[in-house]
Amino acid sequence: MQADPPSHQVDELELAAGLARIRTMMRMFDVPRDLSITALSTLANLERLGPRRLTELAVIEGVTQPAMTQLVSKLEHQALAERRPDPEDGRVVLVSITQHGRDELARRRAAQAKRLAELVAELPEADRAAIAAALPALDRLTSRALGGGA
């Protein structure tokens, strides 16, 4: 008979699958779907990281530079992002999020949070407590993955 693993061990495959399901759930909450996942991720990264070069954004998002150039053009057309010369090197162009882009992300997050709160309220208290207890660890995990240390 095999002993149960200690409670602090994590099944990496189970964790990856669970987080993928959460990503899918959160994407389902994003209505309207007028912006792609990559567009929303790019805006969120610009908000979190500050202005970035197109080449850096392409690497972060895992797309080609031409694809990122096209995406940034669409975001500019919607006034969600803008290109400006780098103040330290005028030959370099940086992409930054606009206030309208910040407002749009905030609006979408608020709608997602409202729907998520409705679902969480339907869970038993023990599940709500487990989710709340996991949040700091998940924050540290994502911070590490996104280069924030921890």
Side-chain angles (χ1 to χ4, degrees):
M1 183 167 140
Q2 194 176 33
D4 288 336
S7 63
H8 65 276
Q9 282 190 328
V10 175
D11 180 319
E12 292 84 4
L13 292 176
E14 190 176 321
L15 176 62
L19 292 175
R21 288 189 301 272
I22 289 171
R23 181 182 60 222
T24 299
M25 176 188 68
M26 294 305 290
R27 178 63 179 151
M28 287 172 40
F29 295 166
D30 188 34
V31 177
R33 292 198 176 108
D34 55 336
L35 293 175
S36 69
I37 292 171
T38 306
L40 290 169
S41 178
T42 299
L43 287 174
N45 280 318
L46 288 171
E47 182 181 52
R48 185 175 57 82
L49 301 172
R52 292 287 179 255
R53 292 178 180 209
L54 274 166
T55 52
E56 187 178 0
L57 288 173
V59 169
I60 291 169
E61 297 300 334
V63 299
T64 64
Q65 187 171 343
M68 183 53 66
T69 299
Q70 186 176 34
L71 174 61
V72 167
S73 293
K74 289 179 183 178
L75 294 173
E76 279 185 303
H77 181 72
Q78 294 173 296
L80 299 170
E82 61 188 359
R83 293 179 225 214
R84 290 190 175 174
D86 184 337
E88 296 176 14
D89 182 351
R91 300 169 295 172
V92 174
V93 173
L94 297 177
V95 180
S96 59
I97 188 169
T98 63
Q99 186 58 50
H100 179 59
R102 290 179 195 283
D103 293 345
E104 182 62 19
L105 283 179
R107 184 189 67 73
R108 288 171 186 262
R109 287 177 183 142
Q112 287 176 331
K114 181 178 185 277
R115 179 65 182 122
L116 190 56
E118 292 166 353
L119 289 173
V120 170
E122 296 173 4
L123 295 175
E125 175 56 35
D127 288 352
R128 293 194 306 268
I131 291 169
L135 292 176
L138 290 171
D139 192 43
R140 287 188 296 276
L141 177 67
T142 57
S143 179
R144 256 190 175 326
L146 298 173

